[in-house]
Amino acid sequence: MSDLLPAVAAGLEVPGLTSGLQLEPADRVCVFLIDGLGWELLKAHPAEAPFLHSLLGSSMNGTGQPMTAGFPSTTATSLASVGTGLPPGAHGLPGYTVRDPAAGQLMNQLRWRPWT
């Protein structure tokens, strides 16, 4: 997941950005992220998303391999990886709930409550 936006930027020919994930050069890109819709669901239910299912064989630079999510694979952690281009151990958002060290409170990173 952390390779996605750097690959998009590299495909847009942004100077200095590279990624292990290779995309064709483009002049514009739309990233469409569906939470919870992964490789296994697409394989198991081809009739539900026929176009996306048809792309599985050419994924990951034509290898037909799945893109992987980091660990933990919570929504908050994966969105942080997509947004920062960093794996979970580097961006520091490990899950749904984290402790705000200044306030000593637990904060839900999807709801941003309590606000910090």
Side-chain angles (χ1 to χ4, degrees):
M1 297 292 287
S2 60
D3 287 330
L4 181 60
L5 289 188
V8 167
L12 291 168
E13 299 177 342
V14 174
L17 288 173
T18 60
S19 171
L21 178 64
Q22 299 297 314
L23 299 176
E24 294 294 322
D27 61 356
R28 63 190 80 130
V29 176
C30 175
V31 174
F32 186 66
L33 181 65
I34 303 173
D35 189 26
L37 179 61
W39 182 268
E40 296 299 329
L41 281 175
L42 285 174
K43 281 179 61 177
H45 303 281
E48 309 307 318
F51 176 72
L52 293 176
H53 183 268
S54 75
L55 301 175
L56 293 179
S58 62
S59 66
M60 287 301 288
N61 305 329
T63 65
Q65 297 297 310
M67 176 184 272
T68 57
F71 178 83
S73 62
T74 64
T75 299
T77 302
S78 293
L79 286 174
S81 291
V82 168
T84 64
L86 298 171
H91 62 56
L93 299 173
Y96 287 113
T97 306
V98 295
R99 183 179 173 273
D100 175 357
Q105 294 179 300
L106 293 178
M107 184 188 93
N108 179 300
Q109 295 198 75
L110 293 181
R111 293 187 177 89
W112 287 87
R113 290 195 182 108
W115 181 253
T116 183

